């Protein structure tokens, strides 16, 4: 192997059906762990062929569990960040401000839609997955499940996912879930072999789950019919689009760093990626989208989704991401810069999401009031009413207008 590329020979310890060991050339400096699907496939192979556990493990491998979990996480985060109208806050009503049951349907439906999209993705390209070290250990490549079986799983997961979102959340969220399956399996997957723009299409797919979470929460406080325009359009829904923009931008530094490490494999498999078609642009794109984190996080505060403290805490994490992206661009992926950016991206997204939830507008004020109480809460209103009732003992005060003031 050429020494200037620091290529070492690594034996893939996975045995094929004939029992031979396949040698795989990888960059030792930037080797990443196998994806969860490949690891689960290895577990399935060791189980009895007719066991239920093997079948369930194979289905889980088809769903790409880490990616599906990420989709569920971003959906639930957007749901929790939705600014609930004051009239629905738990401090003014007996019922919780947002339904826990709706959250269950939302997360389960999103997970099933993601599993469906990922299974269809594997179903469409096993012959190409076999050419890459990261994907050659997937279930269809290894023959652990037939194409009919994989299709049945993908279709069932998709139907249950979209159906659960329709009946348990609302039609808008169900449509977004179904659209995610179509866009990922029907557009992104075949486009990978046609144009580098596939990365942008894949980024759109990843940006949809936050919109699903936002629309699910908005549907519970909709004043009108609850149609898609009310749940997704208008200034009051800018926060949902900013969260979607955050996911869209994040995918470029994350994927561009990952794809650079196996750029030759993508090339040999026929996948058109910037990592090998235009290495310099690959770094520039990663850096440009990393810089967008700053205005996006500022927008979340400006729209009232998060408090001002989020500007400070998120800026620290965003600066770390930009620093790694800068090194990745300047060093063109060499000297460990690709690995540094990849792991920075792995930590960046969940940290920013947790910070956003910790800095949700009004969260700490509400915790303070519930913990220590507010002696002045409500006294001015009722004291004024008592003065007006002097000498009018039979007058009845209508309670509803007091609760709905400002929301008519």
């Amino acid at each position: 192997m050429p020494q200037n590329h620091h290529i070492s020979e690594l034996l893939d310890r996975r045995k094929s059906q004939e029992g031979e060991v396949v040698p795989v050339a990888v960059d030792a400096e930037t080797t990443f762990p196998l994806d969860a699907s490949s690891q689960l496939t290895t577990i399935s192979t060791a189980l009895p062929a007719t066991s239920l556990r093997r079948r369930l493990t194979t289905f889980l491998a088809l769903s790409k569990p880490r990616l599906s979990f990420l989709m569920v996480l971003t959906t639930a985060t957007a749901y929790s960040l939705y600014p609930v109208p004051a009239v629905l806050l738990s401090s003014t009503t007996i019922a919780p401000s947002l339904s826990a049951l709706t959250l269950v349907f939302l997360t389960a439906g999103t997970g099933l839609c993601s599993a469906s999209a990922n299974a269809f993705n594997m179903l469409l390209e096993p012959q190409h997955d076999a050419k890459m070290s990261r994907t050659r250990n997937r279930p269809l490549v290894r023959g652990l499940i037939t194409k009919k079986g994989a299709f049945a799983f993908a279709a069932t997961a998709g139907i249950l996912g979209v159906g659960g979102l329709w009946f348990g959340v609302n039609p808008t969220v169900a449509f977004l879930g179904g659209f995610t399956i179509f866009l990922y399996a029907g557009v992104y997957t075949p486009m990978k072999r046609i144009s580098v723009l596939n990365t942008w299409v894949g980024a759109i797919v990843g940006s949809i789950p936050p919109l699903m979470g936002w629309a699910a929460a908005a549907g519970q406080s909709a004043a009108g019919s609850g149609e898609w325009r009310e749940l997704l359009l208008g200034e009051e829904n800018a926060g949902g689009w900013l969260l979607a923009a955050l996911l869209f931008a994040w995918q470029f530094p994350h994927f561009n760093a990952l794809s650079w490490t196996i750029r030759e494999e993508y090339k040999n498999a026929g996948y058109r990626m910037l990592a090998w078609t235009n290495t310099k642009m690959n770094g520039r794109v990663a850096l440009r989208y990393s810089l967008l984190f700053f205005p996006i996080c500022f927008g979340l505060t400006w729209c009232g989704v998060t408090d001002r403290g989020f500007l400070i805490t998120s800026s620290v994490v965003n600066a770390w991401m930009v620093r790694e992206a800068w090194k990745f661009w300047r060093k063109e992926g060499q000297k460990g810069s690709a690995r540094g950016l990849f792991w920075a991206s792995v930590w960046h997204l969940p940290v920013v999401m947790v910070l956003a939830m910790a800095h949700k507008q009004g969260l700490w004020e509400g915790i303070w009031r519930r913990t220590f109480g507010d002696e002045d809460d409500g006294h001015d209103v009722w004291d004024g009413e008592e003065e007006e009732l002097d000498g009018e003992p039979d007058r009845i005060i209508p309670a509803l207008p007091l609760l709905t003031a400002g929301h008519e």
Side-chain angles (χ1 to χ4, degrees):
M1 296 293 173
Q3 294 182 355
N4 60 335
H5 290 294
H6 305 286
I7 301 297
S8 64
E9 196 73 12
L10 181 69
L11 288 180
D12 183 355
R13 300 185 183 279
R14 171 184 56 75
K15 291 186 178 180
S16 68
Q17 293 178 349
E18 294 76 23
E20 68 235 18
V21 178
V22 183
V24 183
V26 295
D27 190 335
E29 182 183 351
T30 53
T31 301
F32 297 134
L34 290 174
D35 63 10
S37 293
S38 295
Q39 294 174 355
L40 286 168
T41 299
T42 301
I43 295 174
S44 295
T45 305
L47 296 172
T50 58
S51 69
L52 177 62
R53 184 181 174 190
R54 173 168 174 158
R55 185 169 299 179
L56 293 177
T57 306
T58 300
F59 288 155
L60 187 59
L62 284 172
S63 70
K64 297 183 184 177
R66 288 177 185 168
L67 180 57
S68 294
F69 175 76
L70 177 63
M71 297 299 97
V72 171
L73 175 65
T74 56
T75 303
T77 299
Y79 183 83
S80 68
L81 285 174
Y82 182 81
V84 182
V87 70
L88 296 181
L89 290 174
S90 56
S91 59
T92 57
T93 61
I94 298 176
S97 54
L98 288 177
S99 168
L101 183 59
T102 299
L103 179 61
V104 171
F105 275 102
L106 174 65
T107 53
T110 301
L112 286 169
C113 287
S114 179
S116 174
N118 291 325
F120 276 124
N121 169 263
M122 290 190 194
L123 182 63
L124 293 171
E125 50 186 20
Q127 69 275 25
H128 305 302
D129 281 345
K131 301 173 185 176
M132 300 182 62
S133 59
R134 287 189 70 254
T135 57
R136 63 161 55 104
N137 199 40
R138 286 178 172 174
L140 282 162
V141 180
R142 294 295 304 278
L144 294 181
I145 189 171
T146 64
K147 286 190 174 183
K148 287 184 178 180
F151 178 83
F153 170 77
T156 301
I159 292 171
L160 291 176
V162 174
L165 293 173
W166 183 283
F167 293 106
V169 187
N170 60 59
T172 298
V173 177
F175 171 81
L176 291 173
F179 183 63
T180 299
I181 298 173
F182 165 76
L183 196 60
Y184 189 72
V187 180
Y188 166 73
T189 298
M191 196 173 182
K192 287 160 65 178
R193 304 183 60 79
I194 300 173
S195 169
V196 295
L197 292 178
N198 71 82
T199 305
W200 277 261
V201 175
I204 293 175
V205 175
S207 69
I208 294 176
L211 286 177
M212 295 170 65
W214 189 273
Q220 296 184 53
S221 57
S225 60
E227 63 175 6
W228 68 271
R229 292 182 182 85
E230 184 178 6
L231 305 185
L232 294 175
L233 303 183
E235 293 182 6
E236 66 277 10
N237 293 314
W241 290 97
L242 285 168
L243 291 170
L246 180 68
L247 265 293
F248 179 84
W250 173 83
Q251 290 172 86
F252 290 95
H254 176 75
F255 179 75
N256 287 17
L258 173 63
S259 61
W260 186 90
T261 65
I262 50 176
R263 57 198 181 281
E264 291 301 322
E265 294 191 21
Y266 274 121
K267 182 177 181 180
N268 294 335
Y271 293 130
R272 299 194 60 80
M273 303 295 174
L274 280 177
W276 69 267
T277 60
N278 193 331
T279 303
K280 291 184 178 180
M281 184 178 178
N282 188 60
R284 289 198 303 270
V285 169
L287 178 59
R288 288 171 183 170
Y289 281 97
S290 295
L291 290 169
L292 286 180
F293 294 138
F294 290 101
I296 291 172
C297 291
F298 172 80
L300 288 171
T301 298
W302 186 77
C303 290
V305 177
T306 58
D307 60 33
R308 294 180 180 178
F310 181 65
L311 288 177
I312 300 173
T313 56
S314 66
S315 293
V316 174
V317 184
N318 292 337
W320 173 42
M321 187 74 156
V322 170
R323 176 176 174 270
E324 295 299 327
W326 172 268
K327 290 164 61 177
F328 178 69
W329 170 63
R330 288 296 301 271
K331 298 178 181 180
E332 297 185 2
Q334 302 290 345
K335 299 181 180 180
S337 59
R339 186 180 184 87
L341 178 58
F342 173 78
W343 286 111
S345 68
V346 168
W347 285 101
H348 174 271
L349 184 62
V351 170
V352 170
M353 289 293 185
V354 170
L355 287 174
M357 289 188 289
H359 287 285
K360 181 178 180 179
Q361 185 69 44
L363 173 65
W364 294 105
E365 181 182 355
I367 292 175
W368 177 272
R369 288 182 176 178
R370 286 171 175 78
T371 304
F372 300 102
D374 190 339
E375 295 181 358
D376 294 331
D377 276 355
H379 287 301
D380 293 340
V381 176
W382 294 109
D383 288 347
E385 294 292 345
E386 288 172 2
E387 291 176 5
E388 291 179 14
L389 283 175
D390 251 356
E392 300 180 45
D394 296 329
R395 182 178 171 186
I396 299 176
I397 304 172
L400 182 59
L402 290 175
L403 293 178
T404 58
H407 297 274
E408 295 180 356

